[in-house]
Amino acid sequence: MLPPIVLASQSTARRQLLEAAGIPYRVQPSYFDESQIQLTEPAQLVQKLALAKAEVVAAQQRDPVLVLGADSILYLQGEILGKPADAAEAERRLRQMRGQVGELYTGHALVDTGRGRRLTHYGLTRIFFAKPSDEEIRAYVATGEPLACAGCFAMDGRGSLFVERIEGCPSNVIGLSLPLLRHMVQELGYSLTEAWDP
């Protein structure tokens, strides 16, 4: 039987993905200090961060639950890009991204508190960016959207205007690879479809 799922994230996009897939959950942010983990390899970094967030929340549980932690970064031209610090950095970064191909990594971690098991994987999606004008970039930054996003754009928002195409899982770019999550839950011996109302 699928345990209750606890999302160790405040991400609206991740919540919307789970809701769209009919997966019940509750939110309990970890407030983990991401600066504690310094790695240069993107796949390792996102998995370590996702697991750290999940473990913080798992330690606070009394009843058996499945804690889901996640973290996303954009890897572009050999550089790891998280959320921009301010509007000026967002503008610089969006200009840097013009016409480039980036790799969006999302780390996924599940902690099964009932069985004492931990599992991590990552999703990878290649993103082919368009070439927005300086005026379009300034207009986008003025909306505030890129300031809250890893990689400085939201695929499920206005930022989708500046993506020509992607290779890989679409939901991974938004914050969770739902196919990967399904496989991970199965690896732990459960099924997400158990959560669907008949």
Side-chain angles (χ1 to χ4, degrees), residues 106-160:
T106 298
H108 298 60
L110 287 173
V111 177
D112 184 346
T113 64
R115 297 178 180 175
R117 294 190 61 193
R118 286 161 172 73
L119 194 60
T120 62
H121 286 294
Y122 71 94
L124 171 58
T125 305
R126 299 185 78 215
I127 303 163
F128 295 76
F129 291 106
K131 297 178 180 178
S133 66
D134 287 347
E135 291 78 10
E136 289 175 313
I137 287 174
R138 282 193 291 270
Y140 182 43
V141 172
T143 69
E145 182 179 273
L147 299 175
C149 302
C152 210
F153 76 102
M155 188 67 185
D156 57 338
R158 295 176 176 93
S160 60

Side-chain angles (χ1 to χ4, degrees), residues 16-187:
Q16 290 173 342
L17 284 169
L18 292 174
E19 288 163 10
I23 302 168
Y25 67 95
R26 64 181 169 86
V27 173
Q28 187 173 335
S30 70
Y31 303 110
F32 177 76
D33 178 9
E34 296 184 15
S35 67
Q36 294 181 50
I37 297 178
Q38 300 289 329
L39 294 170
T40 56
E41 203 286 314
Q44 291 180 6
L45 176 62
V46 292
Q47 289 181 92
K48 286 272 190 184
L49 287 168
L51 183 59
K53 294 174 183 180
E55 286 183 327
V56 167
V57 173
Q60 300 167 2
Q61 306 304 308
R62 292 184 177 181
D63 299 317
V65 295
L66 207 54
V67 180
L68 170 60
D71 191 82
S72 298
I73 58 103
L74 179 69
Y75 192 64
L76 184 75
Q77 299 173 329
E79 186 179 358
I80 292 174
L81 304 175
K83 294 177 185 176
D86 53 32
E89 183 182 341
E91 282 195 32
R92 283 195 303 273
R93 199 180 287 180
L94 287 163
R95 286 194 294 270
Q96 177 189 356
M97 290 158 59
R98 277 194 285 220
Q100 300 296 317
V101 180
E103 296 178 328
L104 196 295
Y105 288 80
T106 298
H108 298 60
L110 287 173
V111 177
D112 184 346
T113 64
R115 297 178 180 175
R117 294 190 61 193
R118 286 161 172 73
L119 194 60
T120 62
H121 286 294
Y122 71 94
L124 171 58
T125 305
R126 299 185 78 215
I127 303 163
F128 295 76
F129 291 106
K131 297 178 180 178
S133 66
D134 287 347
E135 291 78 10
E136 289 175 313
I137 287 174
R138 282 193 291 270
Y140 182 43
V141 172
T143 69
E145 182 179 273
L147 299 175
C149 302
C152 210
F153 76 102
M155 188 67 185
D156 57 338
R158 295 176 176 93
S160 60
L161 290 172
F162 309 126
V163 175
E164 294 286 354
R165 65 188 175 93
I166 66 170
E167 289 179 358
C169 175
S171 67
N172 187 64
V173 184
I174 299 170
L176 283 174
S177 171
L178 292 173
L180 177 55
L181 178 60
R182 181 175 66 85
H183 287 301
M184 290 176 68
V185 169
Q186 287 176 339
E187 195 172 335

